[in-house]
Amino acid sequence: MSIQLKDYEPVVGAAVMQELFVLAERVQGRRLQNINSTPVGGGVAEILTRMIPLLRELGVDATWDVIKGDQAFFNVTKAFHNALHGKREEITEQMFDIFRETTEANLREMAFSGDVTLIHDPQPAGLVLRKGAAGGRWIWRCHIDVSAPDPRVWEFLRPYVEQHDAAIFSMPDFAQQLPIPQYMVAPSIDPLSDKNKDLDADYVSTVLAKYGLNPGRPILTQISRFDRLKDPLGVIEAYRMVKKRHDCQLVLAGGGAPDDPEGMDVLGEVNERAASDPDIHILDLPPFSDLEINALVRGSTVVLQKSTKEGFGLTVSEALWKKKPVIGGAVGGIKLQIINGVTGFLVHSPEGAAKRLAELLSDPESCRRLGENGYLHVKQNFLMTRHVKDYMLVMLALDSPNEDIVHLN
Ligand code: UDP
């Protein structure tokens, strides 16, 4: 049975729902066209899959389109993605040409119908060239950490970004010098989706057994696309250090995304590093493995998200919601979700991760306390109802861009 708005009330409370209904009245019937670069894989697709039906039920005419690109284009945008995160990448003029050509091809094919057009991330940013003809308000919704971008890529992107009517970043650290209004909206998880809903203990046991995991021994888990910025090799290193003193099993579960061409290479590196350790379980999961991912996290003792760069990292909130202690890299949006020592631990190295893992493996009470705190933190800040509310507020704010205050009556 499909999830409906009323199903959220027992989770978030009547007051939160009431707020949504009040705002929804103000944006009834508006067309909100979302455009990104992949229908599956990664956090943006994860959010849109759940948010579009919710917005529609609230009366916003929300739609979702995906740009087309070939392998060359996605190689370019992945290099841009890494470079915007501050990683050194070889950037050439030809790459800019490929970006422009694919933008032109998409402009020829796509129809624009939004009162508000929400462009997610750099890949479709060039579509703003159609803003004049298409009309409406255009927002660049940036999900990545652009606090210290490679200047060549940022200066290429900036003229596109500046043609939007506003930009949305996930946290204040990512704000840029721009001549357009900037809003801060943190991402969110859907507590009722297959990825996050409560599961029977039997189902969790079945999934652990399916992947050869022993529920009687500690399980450390990282769920991530196989991406170097998620530092899967660092996770293996931390596991090896802690394994010297504590029995444990490691799960690295991930899958690909069509707009991420590096996944297979990284998976190869991870397999090689894991060698033949029977306690390292590398799971290359197909898209839509949400129930199994949910079960793997619920069956885990500690969850890791040891990224070296991160826009937000939905996987952190997904684990905190399940009351798991989380060890995360002290970067980007992970710092919004993990309050060090309260909802988890922030680390800067494999050694740091190993130290915290060892502490948690010998202290179940700390695990429980961090998990409880984490659950409350997510409930208050990172559920989709808050995210939907924020988007409706931004739509209203754009009605009167020269005023600081949104009028609700
Ligand atoms: N995810 C998934 N299957 C995988 C790996 C990840 O469904 O094999 C999901 C994960 O649960 C999360 C999203 O993809 O909901 C990843 O979002 P995040 O913000 O953590 O990272 P991104 O991939 O966007 O960098």
Side-chain angles (χ1 to χ4, degrees):
M1 221 180 60
S2 69
I3 305 163
Q4 295 182 322
L5 264 177
K6 64 176 170 45
D7 302 323
Y8 291 83
E9 184 164 327
V11 184
V12 298
V16 168
M17 298 309 291
Q18 198 50 40
E19 227 176 6
L20 287 186
F21 294 129
V22 168
L23 286 170
E25 266 177 38
R26 302 288 313 276
V27 292
Q28 282 295 306
R30 294 210 197 169
R31 291 164 303 183
L32 175 67
Q33 183 178 15
N34 290 269
I35 303 177
N36 82 324
S37 61
T38 175
V40 287
V44 180
E46 179 82 19
I47 291 168
L48 288 176
T49 302
R50 293 298 318 137
M51 189 180 271
I52 300 289
L54 274 185
L55 282 165
R56 295 191 70 83
E57 211 187 325
L58 282 165
V60 177
D61 185 3
T63 55
W64 175 11
D65 293 290
V66 178
I67 56 164
K68 293 199 185 106
D70 58 12
Q71 183 72 27
F73 174 70
F74 288 122
N75 287 340
V76 166
T77 55
K78 179 72 193 205
F80 284 8
H81 173 93
N82 290 337
L84 289 167
H85 270 128
K87 188 165 174 273
R88 279 210 65 76
E89 287 280 342
E90 165 135 0
I91 303 293
T92 63
E93 272 308 310
Q94 195 202 0
M95 294 167 95
F96 296 137
D97 289 340
I98 290 172
F99 186 94
R100 289 188 198 99
E101 282 157 21
T102 305
T103 297
E104 286 301 325
N106 278 288
L107 282 171
R108 281 192 294 275
E109 282 195 13
M110 284 187 102
F112 299 96
S113 60
D115 297 309
V116 175
T117 306
L118 204 50
I119 299 288
H120 296 266
D121 280 341
Q123 299 93 330
L127 298 180
V128 72
L129 296 174
R130 186 57 55 80
K131 184 179 114 177
R137 302 269 180 195
W138 287 56
I139 306 174
W140 188 56
R141 199 312 175 212
C142 179
H143 294 267
I144 62 183
D145 176 352
V146 287
S147 53
D150 179 324
R152 288 165 306 169
V153 177
W154 180 245
E155 290 311 320
F156 172 74
L157 211 58
R158 178 196 284 280
Y160 296 124
V161 171
E162 291 183 348
Q163 287 178 59
H164 292 76
D165 296 290
I168 300 178
F169 295 99
S170 295
M171 62 189 293
D173 297 20
F174 303 166
Q176 291 289 326
Q177 290 288 340
L178 291 170
I180 55 175
Q182 299 180 51
Y183 300 96
M184 301 300 138
V185 177
S188 64
I189 63 164
D190 182 347
L192 303 181
S193 68
D194 285 348
K195 182 72 63 62
N196 297 309
K197 69 183 183 185
D198 287 341
L199 294 178
D200 287 345
D202 284 354
Y203 178 70
V204 173
S205 304
T206 309
V207 172
L208 295 185
K210 172 178 171 184
Y211 291 111
L213 291 154
N214 179 347
R217 297 168 56 210
I219 299 173
L220 321 178
T221 298
Q222 175 158 301
I223 309 282
S224 277
R225 287 179 298 103
F226 289 100
D227 180 324
R228 292 188 185 93
L229 297 179
K230 309 282 184 187
D231 199 17
L233 299 184
V235 172
I236 294 179
E237 218 180 312
Y239 153 83
R240 290 229 157 96
M241 288 182 229
V242 82
K243 179 96 181 185
K244 289 180 186 150
R245 283 181 288 144
H246 292 269
D247 177 44
C248 56
Q249 310 160 83
L250 176 65
V251 179
L252 286 169
D259 63 349
D260 178 1
E262 290 180 342
M264 290 313 288
D265 289 349
V266 178
L267 178 58
E269 291 164 17
V270 170
N271 274 316
E272 195 178 311
R273 188 67 63 90
S276 52
D277 184 335
D279 279 331
I280 302 183
H281 301 259
I282 296 164
L283 313 180
D284 183 13
L285 299 174
F288 310 114
S289 302
D290 295 11
L291 280 173
E292 290 199 348
I293 290 174
N294 185 342
L296 285 167
V297 173
R298 286 184 192 278
S300 299
T301 317
V302 181
V303 172
L304 292 121
Q305 189 55 61
K306 219 206 89 37
S307 308
T308 53
K309 288 282 174 184
E310 192 61 78
F312 183 70
L314 291 178
T315 49
V316 173
S317 277
E318 288 166 1
L320 295 176
W321 182 246
K322 300 173 183 73
K323 302 189 176 176
K324 296 295 161 184
V326 182
I327 297 175
V331 291
I334 294 178
K335 292 187 290 181
L336 292 176
Q337 301 170 81
I338 298 184
I339 304 166
N340 198 37
V342 179
T343 67
F345 287 118
L346 292 169
V347 298
H348 299 83
S349 63
E351 290 77 9
K355 177 174 170 284
R356 293 303 192 184
L357 280 170
E359 282 170 25
L360 290 175
L361 288 179
S362 48
D363 188 355
E365 178 50 29
S366 286
C367 291
R368 197 196 58 73
R369 185 175 47 78
L370 293 173
E372 286 289 339
N373 291 346
Y375 167 79
L376 288 176
H377 188 48
V378 172
K379 186 171 177 178
Q380 279 157 13
N381 298 290
F382 304 120
L383 294 186
M384 193 155 280
T385 37
R386 190 272 310 148
H387 200 172
V388 166
K389 179 183 81 174
D390 285 353
Y391 276 177
M392 290 195 289
L393 281 169
V394 171
M395 286 169 86
L396 288 173
L398 285 177
D399 286 348
S400 41
N402 297 324
E403 295 181 28
D404 290 337
I405 296 168
V406 175
H407 298 279
L408 286 181
N409 53 27

